[in-house]
Amino acid sequence: QVQVVESGGGLVHPGGFLRLSCVASGTISSTYTMGWYRQAPGKQRELVAVVSSGGSLEYADSVKGRFTISRNNTGNTVYLQLNSLKPEDTAVYYCYLEEADALTGEPLRHWGQGTLVTVSS
């Protein structure tokens, strides 16, 4: 069983910054991808940033140059640095870990409970 827990959300003024953390624990495959999605009120969940086990990065166009995703050396913790925040960045941010199912080889995604980021003056 894999557990994913996020932290670091909060209220910040426009132009401010936050750092979100996500820790994965439990029985995890040797290779996996971790990343962040977000869901704003009344909108669909959207991809924010991803880091693969090999270290390749992917960002949504809306956050490029402002957000940075990184992983620790053991790979089970990812961070999302949010800079130059805008009101439209307000959302619940969800962390996930994706690995291959041990039996089927199909992608298996584990989600955290989400952390709220509110950008408002």
Side-chain angles (χ1 to χ4, degrees), residues 52-69:
S52 72
S53 57
S56 59
L57 307 177
E58 179 183 347
Y59 293 96
D61 288 341
S62 59
V63 306
K64 283 180 181 176
R66 300 188 299 121
F67 292 6
T68 303
I69 189 169

Side-chain angles (χ1 to χ4, degrees), residues 77-88:
T77 301
V78 292
Y79 305 96
L80 187 66
Q81 180 69 38
L82 292 69
N83 295 332
S84 302
L85 281 162
K86 304 175 182 180
E88 52 263 42

Side-chain angles (χ1 to χ4, degrees), residues 9-33:
L11 172 64
V12 62
H13 293 309
F17 61 91
L18 281 175
R19 190 192 198 205
L20 307 183
S21 300
C22 172
V23 180
S25 61
T27 304
I28 305 172
S29 303
S30 58
T31 59
Y32 51 90
T33 294

